[in-house]
């Protein structure tokens, strides 16, 4: 009799939990991949399967209307239709050709930018070279990636948003982990079946409806805090413009010098591209109105060490303060297409110091309006929901 009662209890618990167990499978197998997401980043980003080659699902194409990361699903959100392509390795590129490699964070990936607005594609049109976006990633991930050891790029551009520069890892950090991921990523990428299983398992792990519901509850209860001034949203606010000691600046310069040295020893040119924080350029909007001096001091230190660095700080300051040109979306902390174009101009000018580079425009297919069909791999998985 007691066993019968236990069985009934277990049956009831199973029926109660069954919808919660089945629903993630429905999300992954039935619903559109972006059904519960507000950006392509969350849609395609690898969640738990950190054994795949790249940070995104490979061989994907998606077009959707998305919002900035700082105020999604609110009246402050600015909507924009964007297109994304990812290559066979799970990076945001139309193909895997590489003369110039861009290592960086989400700004290099191109958050809230459509494919042709990303720095890699804008710079490619400037240089008449194949530019590859290896982001988000690190120098150590690059050094441990076998395909780049076999076919190294001519130039490696390392970029970072200002707030993340102090955390750039020194050469050799996490080297073993990067080598393991290169091995497992190549193994998974060698089999369409393994790739499909890995992507499906990762989509299940995201629990998209659950996370979307929690975020909605937090907003409804007022738990989601926004840092906003003059209808501009910021990631850190005043804390972003803190003062750095000279010792800290020197330590950061040591890390970047290490990058230069190891890449130079391998016959590759190194260039550092810092990206100012939104708080840096828009500092007058913040309560303290304190103008930061971190990037100018770091750039000066790097130049003293004969390290190639692009001075985006001075140019962005002039564009915003003298020309009233906005360089960041209202609802996001990443740069916009105007800032990207100017950064590409600066990089191209710096690289043109080498006779191997020129700024001849590529043929017409690379101009605005080019669909990219001839550069898109045939095995893309396409997600293009109705607009």
């Amino acid at each position: 009799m007691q066993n019968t009662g236990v069985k009934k209890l277990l049956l009831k618990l199973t029926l109660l939990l069954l919808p919660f167990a089945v629903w993630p499978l429905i999300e992954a197998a039935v619903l559109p991949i972006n059904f519960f997401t507000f950006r392509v980043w969350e849609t395609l980003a690898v969640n738990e399967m950190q054994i795949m080659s790249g940070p995104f699902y490979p061989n994907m194409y998606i077009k959707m209307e998305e919002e900035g990361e700082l105020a999604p699903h609110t009246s402050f959100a600015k909507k924009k239709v964007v297109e994304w392509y990812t290559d066979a390795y799970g990076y945001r590129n139309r193909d895997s050709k590489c003369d110039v490699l861009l290592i960086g964070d989400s700004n290099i990936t191109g958050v809230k930018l459509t494919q042709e607005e990303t720095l890699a594609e804008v710079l490619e049109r400037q240089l008449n070279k194949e530019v590859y976006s290896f982001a988000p990633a690190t120098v150590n991930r690059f050094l441990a990636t076998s395909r780049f050891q076999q076919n190294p790029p001519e130039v490696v551009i390392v970029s970072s948003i200002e707030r993340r520069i102090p955390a750039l890892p020194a050469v050799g950090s996490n080297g073993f982990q990067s080598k393991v991921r290169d091995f497992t990523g190549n193994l998974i990428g060698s089999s369409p079946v393994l790739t499909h299983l890995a992507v499906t398992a990762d989509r299940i792990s995201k629990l998209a409806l659950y996370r979307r519901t929690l975020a909605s509850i937090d907003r409804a209860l007022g738990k989601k805090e926004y840092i906003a001034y003059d209808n501009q949203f910021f990631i850190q606010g005043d804390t972003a413009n803190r003062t750095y000691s000279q010792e800290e600046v020197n330590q950061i310069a040591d890390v970047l010098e290490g990058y230069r040295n190891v890449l130079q020893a391998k016959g590759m040119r190194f260039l550092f591209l810092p990206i100012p924080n939104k708080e840096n350029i828009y500092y007058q909007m913040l309560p303290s109105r304190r103008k930061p001096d971190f990037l100018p001091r770091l750039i000066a230190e790097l130049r003293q060490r004969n390290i190639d660095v692009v001075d985006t700080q001075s140019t962005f300051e002039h564009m915003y303060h003298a020309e009233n040109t906005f360089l960041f979306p209202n609802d996001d902390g990443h740069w916009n297409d105007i800032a990207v174009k100017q950064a590409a101009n600066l990089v191209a000018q710096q690289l043109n110091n080498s006779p191997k580079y020129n700024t001849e425009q590529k043929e017409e297919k690379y101009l605005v309006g080019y669909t990219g069909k001839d550069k898109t791999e045939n095995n893309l998985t396409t997600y293009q929901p109705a607009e």
Side-chain angles (χ1 to χ4, degrees), residues 161-213:
I161 187 68
E162 179 182 351
R163 63 180 173 273
R164 295 186 181 277
I165 292 176
L168 289 173
V171 172
S173 301
N174 298 321
F176 177 74
Q177 180 183 352
S178 296
K179 289 180 180 179
V180 170
R181 185 163 179 179
D182 180 61
F183 173 78
T184 58
N186 289 337
L187 179 63
I188 292 172
S190 67
S191 167
V193 174
L194 289 177
T195 299
H196 176 72
L197 290 175
V199 171
T200 302
D202 195 78
R203 288 185 61 190
I204 292 172
S205 75
K206 286 183 174 180
L207 301 174
L209 175 60
Y210 172 73
R211 296 185 181 186
R212 170 78 175 266
T213 302

Side-chain angles (χ1 to χ4, degrees), residues 67-199:
E67 305 170 5
E69 67 172 341
L70 300 181
H73 306 303
T74 71
S75 59
F76 302 103
K78 304 295 182 182
K79 299 181 183 298
K80 180 178 180 179
V81 176
V82 300
E83 288 183 301
W84 273 55
Y85 293 86
T86 62
D87 63 18
Y89 300 96
Y91 288 91
R92 193 182 180 186
N93 301 282
R94 299 179 195 263
D95 57 44
S96 57
K97 298 175 183 177
C98 178
D99 298 319
V100 177
L101 186 83
L102 276 170
I103 300 176
D105 50 37
S106 52
N107 288 276
I108 298 303
T109 304
V111 170
K112 212 176 182 184
L113 297 173
T114 199
Q115 191 80 21
E116 66 181 19
E117 295 173 338
T118 61
L119 181 60
E121 295 217 356
V122 176
L123 191 57
E124 188 168 89
R125 295 192 291 268
Q126 290 266 15
L127 296 176
N128 197 30
K129 291 280 186 177
E130 299 289 349
V131 180
Y132 188 83
S133 176
F134 193 61
T138 64
V139 168
N140 292 314
R141 174 67 56 79
F142 161 69
L143 293 173
T145 302
S146 56
R147 60 185 169 118
F148 296 127
Q149 294 171 2
Q150 297 164 4
N151 297 290
E154 301 168 8
V155 177
V156 174
I157 301 171
V158 175
S159 180
S160 177
I161 187 68
E162 179 182 351
R163 63 180 173 273
R164 295 186 181 277
I165 292 176
L168 289 173
V171 172
S173 301
N174 298 321
F176 177 74
Q177 180 183 352
S178 296
K179 289 180 180 179
V180 170
R181 185 163 179 179
D182 180 61
F183 173 78
T184 58
N186 289 337
L187 179 63
I188 292 172
S190 67
S191 167
V193 174
L194 289 177
T195 299
H196 176 72
L197 290 175
V199 171

Side-chain angles (χ1 to χ4, degrees), residues 33 58-62 84 86 377-383:
I33 193 171
N59 293 324
M60 292 284 181
Y61 167 77
I62 185 169
W84 273 55
T86 62
E377 298 190 15
N378 294 326
N379 58 345
L380 286 176
T381 302
T382 301
Y383 293 96

Side-chain angles (χ1 to χ4, degrees), residues 341-359:
K341 289 177 182 177
Q342 189 56 53
N345 290 337
L346 295 172
V347 170
Q349 290 171 14
Q350 195 120 343
L351 289 180
N352 279 339
N353 292 330
S354 170
K356 292 196 298 182
Y357 289 86
N358 61 72
T359 55

